Amino acid sequence: LIVVTQKDVRIEIINEALGFLNERELQPRTIRWKNQLLLLTNRNLSSTDLDRLNDLGVVERIVSPTQKAQLASRDFQTDGSVVKVGNVSIGSQRLVVVAGPCSVESRQQLLQVAHLAKRLGASMLRGGAFKPRTSPYEFQGLGETALRLLAEAREETGLPVVTEVLEPGNVDLVAKYADMLQVGARNMQNFSLLRAVGKSKMPVLLKRGMMATIDEWLQAAEYVLVEGNHNVVLCERGIRTFEKVTRNTLDLSAVPVLRRLTHLPVLVDPSHATGSRDLIAPMAKAAVGAGADGLMIEVHPNPDSALSDSAQQLDLGQFATLMEEIESFSSVAGRRLR
Ligand code: PEP
Ligand code: MN
């Protein structure tokens, strides 16, 4: 349960309320949410508990969300959140396209993609510096060298940068160079990482775990939110099913379902969802139709030589065609690309 406290309430009164809620074993915690102070409890209050809080004069509004992810819920915030990443607003009328290579491999590779992405109307640049690879023998990313290149590409193009952080100990390092921290599918329930990116207060892109239900995903987002970091964007990237033709199964119904359940913006990543170049355009268009706030697309100057995810990266010409196609779809969906 969420108690939105009154604006001018004194700290001693808040402490008294916390003491009382502690006695009642409601595990209370306070968090700053934009310009408000919230009191959160682990379960609903009885009417006598509520009377006590009202008597103390702390209550402006009580929210008892129907879901476990309280701060993420529409019950708590009816308006859709807009997450600002540099000069880009995710969750606005502009369809956000995050484009870039799976992994940053070289200066030339990254800058070539970054300049093209900028020219074609993409709003953000992606590129892996620390790669979560299935095998320890596969390319693990260039680490800080890649982060420096991403920062350089941002200076040259003005595109804000998102890149994955794999472990809590690297949050500060990645935050030094990037504009948004990505928590990947394999780490969606790495709770210490979620707490760490929450504490950083940086914008966070939280990808759906490959075996995660929507409910589990939203509770993972809640770990970030409850640290007082409201800059969370969700990214549907396909889930594991029995189907083997595609790398994953893109759960597009997640987009309108999330719209109903949460105020957080939603992106769709058809690259990791399908694993196959030729399926990206149709699924990207479908995602726009389903109401996604944006797309994440892997682009590489020479996909066949890519050090990771070779089969699913678009080359520069294919990406240009995709952007053209998406433009008309976005206007039908009530969005603009540029
Ligand atoms: C990525 O976007 O670089 C990535 C590894 O994706 P996912 O975590 O969705 O597999
Ligand atoms: Mn990839």
Side-chain angles (χ1 to χ4, degrees), residues 101-103 126-128 130-133 164 182-187 205 207-208 210 235-238 247-248 269 272-273 296 298 309 312:
C102 177
S103 301
R126 64 150 286 142
F130 296 97
K131 296 301 299 175
R133 304 308 301 280
E164 180 162 355
Q182 179 169 318
V183 173
R186 292 156 193 79
N187 263 325
L205 184 66
K207 299 193 94 178
R208 182 179 185 175
M210 51 186 108
C235 182
E236 162 63 41
R237 45 78 72 210
R247 181 177 181 183
N248 292 287
D269 170 354
H272 291 90
M296 173 175 265
E298 286 190 336
D309 287 350
Q312 72 191 34

Side-chain angles (χ1 to χ4, degrees), residues 116-307:
L116 179 90
K118 171 71 184 180
R119 188 157 58 72
L120 295 174
S123 10
M124 286 180 63
L125 179 66
R126 64 150 286 142
F130 296 97
K131 296 301 299 175
R133 304 308 301 280
T134 301
S135 160
Y137 304 117
E138 287 169 335
F139 178 59
Q140 305 285 310
L142 298 177
E144 191 167 359
T145 304
L147 295 177
R148 283 206 198 90
L149 293 172
L150 286 164
E152 185 182 340
R154 174 191 48 226
E155 298 324 314
E156 287 205 11
T157 61
L159 296 176
V161 160
V162 59
T163 192
E164 180 162 355
V165 56
L166 284 182
E167 50 197 294
N170 270 350
V171 168
D172 288 345
L173 176 71
V174 177
K176 195 167 113 190
Y177 296 98
D179 302 284
M180 183 180 218
L181 305 176
Q182 179 169 318
V183 173
R186 292 156 193 79
N187 263 325
M188 190 207 81
Q189 282 187 316
N190 180 338
F191 300 114
S192 52
L193 181 62
L194 294 171
R195 282 195 201 93
V197 297
K199 289 198 172 76
S200 79
K201 302 284 156 63
M202 290 276 294
V204 174
L205 184 66
L206 179 62
K207 299 193 94 178
R208 182 179 185 175
M210 51 186 108
M211 287 154 299
T213 63
I214 289 175
D215 184 49
E216 287 161 342
W217 188 12
L218 287 174
Q219 291 189 69
E222 192 78 4
Y223 268 86
V224 182
L225 299 172
V226 84
E227 296 296 337
N229 185 350
H230 50 262
N231 302 310
V232 178
V233 176
L234 302 167
C235 182
E236 162 63 41
R237 45 78 72 210
I239 48 176
R240 272 242 166 122
T241 66
F242 51 81
E243 184 53 70
K244 291 197 179 126
V245 176
T246 47
R247 181 177 181 183
N248 292 287
T249 297
L250 179 57
D251 179 10
L252 270 187
S253 56
V255 178
V257 168
L258 287 167
R259 205 57 87 205
R260 183 167 77 211
L261 297 176
T262 181
H263 53 85
L264 300 174
V266 183
L267 302 188
V268 170
D269 170 354
S271 305
H272 291 90
T274 63
S276 154
R277 201 165 294 135
D278 56 314
L279 300 177
I280 291 168
M283 297 325 282
K285 293 178 214 167
V288 173
D293 295 299
L295 301 166
M296 173 175 265
I297 310 284
E298 286 190 336
V299 187
H300 192 289
N302 182 9
D304 289 340
S305 72
L307 299 179

Side-chain angles (χ1 to χ4, degrees), residues 22-143:
N22 252 321
E23 270 167 33
R24 304 279 298 116
E25 294 180 347
L26 287 155
Q27 293 176 18
R29 56 199 292 172
T30 53
I31 73 152
R32 280 256 148 235
W33 185 267
K34 299 170 190 175
N35 57 358
Q36 291 171 311
L37 183 74
L38 309 179
L39 271 175
L40 272 81
T41 63
N42 61 345
R43 56 189 158 81
N44 280 347
L45 304 182
S46 68
S47 58
T48 41
D49 295 341
L50 274 175
D51 287 347
R52 178 75 191 272
L53 289 184
N54 276 320
D55 289 346
L56 283 169
V58 294
V59 181
E60 183 186 290
R61 182 167 70 98
I62 300 263
V63 191
S64 22
T66 47
Q67 305 162 59
K68 288 187 184 136
Q70 307 192 62
L71 297 167
S73 73
R74 283 266 181 203
D75 301 320
F76 170 56
Q77 185 185 301
T78 30
D79 292 345
S81 280
V82 176
V83 172
K84 290 217 70 161
V85 185
N87 55 0
V88 173
S89 298
I90 309 181
S92 70
Q93 211 217 344
R94 179 172 176 194
L95 186 85
V96 169
V97 175
V98 184
C102 177
S103 301
V104 176
E105 297 170 6
S106 70
R107 186 163 183 276
Q108 137 102 19
Q109 172 237 23
L110 183 66
L111 290 181
Q112 208 180 336
V113 176
H115 282 290
L116 179 90
K118 171 71 184 180
R119 188 157 58 72
L120 295 174
S123 10
M124 286 180 63
L125 179 66
R126 64 150 286 142
F130 296 97
K131 296 301 299 175
R133 304 308 301 280
T134 301
S135 160
Y137 304 117
E138 287 169 335
F139 178 59
Q140 305 285 310
L142 298 177

Side-chain angles (χ1 to χ4, degrees), residues 11-22 52-53 56:
I11 186 70
E12 301 85 70
I13 304 290
I14 296 287
N15 285 338
E16 202 174 328
L18 284 172
F20 160 71
L21 294 168
N22 252 321
R52 178 75 191 272
L53 289 184
L56 283 169

